[in-house]
């Protein structure tokens, strides 16, 4: 394992970097070493253990793509916790669809504020009506998500070193194999 987990100053995982990059950041005084691997490296006059987890000393604000949540079926379902916004039940993706709260025929747009997760049954029941016309209330008003729910570190948790786990469990999407 020659990889180092880079944390923000807030201890939030940012990304995985090669240990040489980690050493460079450390030499530049930008990070502190939080945990080390067992493996040692020998330089000319010093021996040190490979950094396993490092933390930025100055907080960096994550901009870029994380601010923008693509308007997609998957993200709508995720925003609504796979819960039909009319009957309030959680459904498998195969039984979910999305619903225009204000139907297109009534001027409803296809955007975060007008699209909700809906089960097939409720979708059929509501038809081309507004929630008011159909007498169906929404669980909560649909909104544009502020940011993506989690920064996804592209490494399987099974492969992650023990020293990373405390940090990864904070906001990495876990495999759905829990009992
Ligand atoms: Zn429903």
């Amino acid at each position: 394992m020659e990889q180092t987990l880079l944390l923000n100053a807030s201890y939030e995982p940012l990304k995985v970097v090669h240990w040489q990059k980690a050493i460079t950041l450390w030499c530049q005084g930008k990070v502190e070493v939080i945990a080390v691997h067992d493996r040692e490296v020998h330089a000319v006059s010093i021996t040190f253990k490979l950094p396993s987890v490092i933390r930025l000393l100055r907080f960096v604000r994550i901009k870029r793509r994380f601010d923008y949540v693509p308007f997609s079926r998957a993200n709508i379902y995720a925003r609504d916790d796979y819960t039909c916004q009319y009957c309030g039940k959680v459904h498998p993706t195969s039984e979910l669809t999305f619903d225009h709260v204000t139907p297109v025929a009534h001027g409803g747009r296809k955007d975060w504020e007008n699209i909700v997760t809906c089960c097939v049954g409720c979708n059929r029941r509501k038809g081309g009506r507004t929630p008011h016309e159909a007498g169906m209330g929404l669980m909560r008003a649909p909104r544009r998500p502020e940011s993506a729910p989690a920064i996804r570190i592209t490494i399987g948790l099974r492969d992650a070193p023990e020293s990373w786990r405390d940090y990864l469990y904070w906001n990495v999407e876990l495999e759905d194999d829990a009992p």
Side-chain angles (χ1 to χ4, degrees):
M1 178 50 79
E2 300 189 332
Q3 309 258 281
T4 304
L5 180 65
L6 173 66
L7 305 177
N8 207 338
S10 58
Y11 290 90
E12 191 175 17
L14 289 178
K15 60 179 171 182
V16 176
V17 297
H18 192 269
W19 68 266
Q20 285 172 329
K21 170 74 175 169
I23 296 289
T24 305
L25 288 169
W26 181 74
C27 290
Q28 291 168 342
K30 289 180 177 168
V31 296
E32 65 170 339
V33 176
I34 301 266
V36 291
H37 292 298
D38 285 334
R39 203 185 128 195
E40 291 182 333
V41 215
H42 305 276
V44 183
S45 57
I46 52 164
T47 296
F48 54 88
K49 290 194 167 184
L50 293 188
S52 156
V53 181
I54 56 172
R55 173 180 166 251
L56 287 172
L57 296 174
R58 282 179 60 183
F59 182 76
V60 291
R61 203 163 283 283
I62 309 302
K63 283 262 179 191
R64 321 187 293 267
R65 58 209 162 97
F66 300 122
D67 270 2
Y68 173 73
V69 184
F71 182 61
S72 67
R73 189 178 282 257
N75 283 333
I76 291 161
Y77 292 171
R79 179 197 64 182
D80 296 338
D81 299 322
Y82 301 87
T83 305
C84 170
Q85 294 299 291
Y86 293 103
C87 67
K89 295 200 187 96
V90 176
H91 293 268
T93 316
S94 59
E95 290 168 24
L96 288 175
T97 181
F98 59 81
D99 175 66
H100 289 79
V101 178
T102 300
V104 179
H106 289 59
R109 286 158 304 149
K110 201 180 204 99
D111 60 21
W112 285 110
E113 286 81 23
N114 194 48
I115 297 277
V116 294
T117 304
C118 183
C119 73
V120 175
C122 287
N123 190 248
R124 214 170 277 147
R125 199 149 65 85
K126 181 168 176 281
R129 298 176 293 176
T130 64
H132 181 73
E133 287 168 348
M136 295 164 75
L138 281 172
M139 304 294 294
R140 62 184 174 206
R143 291 209 173 82
R144 170 184 297 277
E146 296 279 302
S147 61
I151 295 168
R152 282 166 206 160
I153 304 274
T154 51
I155 178 159
L157 277 180
R158 280 189 194 84
D159 305 325
E162 205 57 42
S163 55
W164 291 15
R165 299 195 174 218
D166 283 350
Y167 306 100
L168 289 184
Y169 277 120
W170 276 103
N171 59 3
V172 166
E173 205 168 34
L174 299 177
E175 297 294 321
D176 202 13
D177 59 0

